[in-house]
Amino acid sequence: MISPVRTVGIAAMFCIPACTGVPKSTEPLVGAWVVEDIAGRGIIDYSRVELLLELDGQLSGSTGCNLLIGRYRVEGSAMTINVVTTTRKVCPEALMYQERVFLGAIESIDSYRFDPTGPLVLQDDNQPWILAQPYKRRP
């Protein structure tokens, strides 16, 4: 016979990963991503475009000029991104243009996939808009 303590431990072992309320399809997306391509145009040299996807659906990052905060939602391979706000710094026109293209691209995303070579591909109607590589953030 299994003791009540062991039964609770076994139940917790199976329930904690399954009962967190986070869809398993979200797990591979959680983390920091550095954007390498926006709409097939690459990114401006030495600009850093980043997305940080949290387990609870929160999103933050950098457009290369301004910071952004928002939310994302995943169901299977479907994905939506809603940018709630950005900071309002003025940057050189080229960075401002890249920011506008990036924000327009991520707001039009309807799905994601992983390219066989590794990058995360955020897409709209199977048209890739954003390619991003995972990276480890410094603590």
Side-chain angles (χ1 to χ4, degrees):
M1 175 140 175
I2 298 177
S3 73
V5 171
R6 186 171 289 175
T7 303
V8 170
I10 292 170
M13 182 175 73
F14 289 107
C15 185
I16 289 173
C19 299
T20 60
V22 177
K24 289 209 177 289
S25 59
T26 302
E27 291 173 9
L29 295 171
V30 172
W33 299 90
V34 62
V35 174
E36 294 183 339
D37 185 78
I38 303 168
R41 299 176 181 156
I43 63 166
I44 295 172
D45 290 342
Y46 304 108
S47 68
R48 181 113 173 147
V49 181
E50 303 173 338
L51 288 174
L52 179 61
L53 304 175
E54 302 287 349
L55 195 59
D56 63 359
Q58 294 203 41
L59 165 109
S60 60
S62 169
T63 66
C65 176
N66 285 292
L67 302 177
L68 65 94
I69 297 173
R71 300 210 41 90
Y72 74 99
R73 185 175 178 164
V74 172
E75 290 181 24
S77 66
M79 180 180 201
T80 55
I81 294 177
N82 180 29
V83 175
V84 176
T85 191
T86 64
T87 56
R88 307 246 183 216
K89 258 187 346 189
V90 176
C91 295
E93 184 54 38
L95 283 176
M96 298 297 291
Y97 178 75
Q98 176 177 274
E99 176 178 83
R100 286 190 299 274
V101 172
F102 176 66
L103 290 173
I106 64 172
E107 292 245 342
S108 71
I109 297 305
D110 65 9
S111 62
Y112 78 94
R113 66 181 168 82
F114 291 97
D115 187 83
T117 61
L120 169 65
V121 180
L122 303 179
Q123 55 194 23
D124 174 23
D125 291 330
N126 293 323
Q127 171 69 36
W129 284 106
I130 306 290
L131 264 62
Q133 292 284 352
Y135 75 98
K136 300 243 189 248
R137 293 186 66 131
R138 294 183 196 146

